Amino acid sequence: MSMFFYMEFLMKEIVYHGTNSVFDHFDLDYCGTINENAANSKLGFFFGSSLVKKNNDCPEFLHHFGGYIIKAELDISDLYVMPIEEFSDIHHKGFDDDDNRNVPFWLKKRKEFLDKGFKVIAIKEFNKVDGRDDNISMYIVL
């Protein structure tokens, strides 16, 4: 059974999304269509947060996900804080032996979180994230 924290007050976070496509809004019809090898991309849109919360700089690792970086303000009021170990466990269950891309699994997981009232998953790193007291380095918008 997983532990989670539900935040009931309005909170905002500056986040970044790396992509190879140019677009002006996020559309779930395109979620996971660019990176066919990332099975978990059907869970939602992945965003990196600044590793130093007070300066809101784009994390360097996002440049590996495409030539375009989109800066956004994310409402993290309906937030599920997921330890990285839990995300890793779910990730391993999401692989299909036949094609390594179990899309129905990820769509079902997405629905489970939405049915519980969560709109965003925050991945809490095991190791200390320098400059951040919350150890959050990634968000997934469902």
Side-chain angles (χ1 to χ4, degrees):
M1 178 176 239
S2 63
M3 300 280 299
F4 64 88
F5 305 94
Y6 185 72
M7 311 274 185
E8 293 183 342
F9 46 91
L10 185 62
M11 295 177 59
K12 300 283 184 182
E13 178 82 21
I14 301 296
V15 294
Y16 300 88
H17 179 79
T19 181
N20 284 320
S21 299
V22 177
F23 53 91
D24 59 5
H25 70 280
F26 289 89
D27 184 335
L28 283 173
D29 288 339
Y30 294 99
C31 187
T33 59
I34 301 302
N35 190 349
E36 295 177 357
N37 296 318
N40 62 8
S41 64
K42 286 294 186 184
L43 183 60
F45 292 103
F46 285 67
F47 293 86
S49 59
S50 175
L51 298 182
V52 180
K53 193 167 185 165
K54 63 185 171 189
N55 68 10
N56 288 327
D57 289 338
C58 177
E60 286 296 318
F61 74 88
L62 281 179
H63 294 281
H64 297 285
F65 293 94
Y68 301 102
I69 302 295
I70 298 171
K71 182 178 180 180
E73 185 177 69
L74 181 61
D75 178 355
I76 57 171
S77 301
D78 299 316
L79 179 68
Y80 177 83
V81 178
M82 180 183 290
I84 190 73
E85 300 88 355
E86 182 181 351
F87 181 72
S88 180
D89 288 345
I90 292 172
H91 182 76
H92 290 298
K93 291 175 186 172
F95 284 106
D96 185 293
D97 291 336
D98 295 333
D99 66 3
N100 206 29
R101 209 171 130 62
N102 192 343
V103 171
F105 172 87
W106 291 105
L107 293 175
K108 180 181 174 190
K109 273 293 170 199
R110 181 177 185 280
K111 184 177 179 337
E112 287 174 12
F113 284 108
L114 289 170
D115 287 349
K116 292 177 184 176
F118 299 111
K119 296 177 184 170
V120 177
I121 296 172
I123 305 298
K124 186 175 182 81
E125 298 291 338
F126 177 73
N127 295 321
K128 176 85 173 110
V129 177
D130 290 335
R132 291 189 65 101
D133 294 332
D134 59 9
N135 285 1
I136 303 296
S137 65
M138 184 170 44
Y139 292 93
I140 305 168
V141 177
L142 306 171

